Amino acid sequence: MNTSYQYPRPALTVDCVVFGIGASDAATRKLQVLLIQRDLPPFKNAWALPGGFVRINESLDQAAARELREETGLSKVYLEQFHTFGDPQRDPREHVVSVAHFALVNLFDHKVLAATDARDADWFDADQTPKLAFDHQLILTSAWQRLQQAVRQRPIGFELLPREFTLTQLQQLYEVILNQSLDKRNFRKKLLAMELLIDTQRKQTGVAHRAAKLYRFDRTKYQRLQKAGFHFEL
């Protein structure tokens, strides 16, 4: 059914803040964000978050997943809506409202490539990005703050790790996201007490240091416990 409206309406877009954990060396490991270099005005050649306009009959989540796939080649990644940005001056073209999402990507399994209206796509340290187009620096900062809250309340951080990981890798992931050091003994005690980690009975291979045990996250058990009222909290 076609409907006409008496009043003009803002345009609607989605933007995606894609996080990954970079570098294998613990001393240099940092939270990274995926940016695209715009190939069209406004802000042509500037770096920006992946995103674009929502199509008719397309949900916000569908639009975010499509834009991410079209501009970076990423698909089937964890994607969560977190905030709406509606300053009338945020886009020089017209009044554009953006519904922002953050995505979590395991860099071991996903490769990125620039496509459609993106000239390039690359990973940057989240705290050392180039000047971003539109209000994307504000969106990035807000996404990191929301991620810090979310990883303490839900086990979404496992999306950033390979399927099998060590306890040290898990702790380093939380330290990178939270931007703070964690007590090793307390961290491991709390995680293991939840009984959500599966000991694979295997150890690391090809490492210069003493090989550590490998674990997997028991997603099925977590979902079952969650239905029973279990609350993940770190």
Side-chain angles (χ1 to χ4, degrees), residues 167-184:
L167 293 180
T168 296
Q169 289 175 323
L170 182 58
Q171 179 174 338
Q172 289 169 350
L173 177 143
Y174 275 87
E175 290 179 332
V176 165
I177 293 175
L178 299 174
N179 198 26
Q180 67 181 71
S181 297
L182 300 173
D183 181 80
K184 177 179 178 180

Side-chain angles (χ1 to χ4, degrees), residues 154-174:
R154 289 175 285 137
I156 60 174
F158 292 97
E159 302 289 342
L160 294 164
L161 290 171
R163 187 168 183 267
E164 297 183 354
F165 50 84
T166 68
L167 293 180
T168 296
Q169 289 175 323
L170 182 58
Q171 179 174 338
Q172 289 169 350
L173 177 143
Y174 275 87

Side-chain angles (χ1 to χ4, degrees), residues 197-202 213-216:
L197 300 182
I198 300 173
D199 187 343
T200 66
Q201 304 300 316
R202 289 190 295 275
K213 283 185 177 182
L214 291 170
Y215 292 84
R216 285 190 292 109

Side-chain angles (χ1 to χ4, degrees), residues 34-38 46-51 71-72 117-118 120-122:
L34 179 63
L35 301 177
I36 63 163
Q37 188 175 31
R38 290 178 58 81
W47 289 94
L49 300 170
E71 293 193 336
T72 69
D117 58 350
D120 194 8
D122 204 354

Side-chain angles (χ1 to χ4, degrees), residues 59-165:
S59 74
L60 294 171
D61 289 347
Q62 288 172 339
R66 174 182 54 77
E67 286 290 344
L68 198 56
R69 182 177 63 254
E70 290 179 352
E71 293 193 336
T72 69
L74 291 175
S75 62
K76 297 181 180 179
V77 300
Y78 181 89
L79 193 62
E80 179 178 323
Q81 187 180 137
F82 75 93
H83 195 69
T84 300
F85 296 82
D87 187 329
Q89 306 304 318
R90 62 177 303 275
D91 191 313
R93 293 168 293 189
E94 59 177 324
H95 186 183
V96 177
V97 174
S98 178
V99 180
H101 296 65
F102 70 77
L104 304 178
V105 173
N106 172 4
L107 298 187
F108 295 88
D109 297 334
H110 294 89
K111 304 297 181 184
V112 301
L113 55 97
T116 62
D117 58 350
R119 174 171 294 185
D120 194 8
D122 204 354
W123 292 96
F124 293 82
D125 290 345
D127 60 353
Q128 294 182 338
T129 62
K131 182 176 176 60
L132 302 183
F134 305 102
D135 58 349
H136 288 186
Q137 184 59 57
L138 173 62
I139 296 177
L140 169 57
T141 300
S142 299
W144 194 346
Q145 292 171 345
R146 181 59 63 89
L147 177 60
Q148 289 176 330
Q149 296 171 357
V151 294
R152 289 187 177 276
Q153 301 167 350
R154 289 175 285 137
I156 60 174
F158 292 97
E159 302 289 342
L160 294 164
L161 290 171
R163 187 168 183 267
E164 297 183 354
F165 50 84

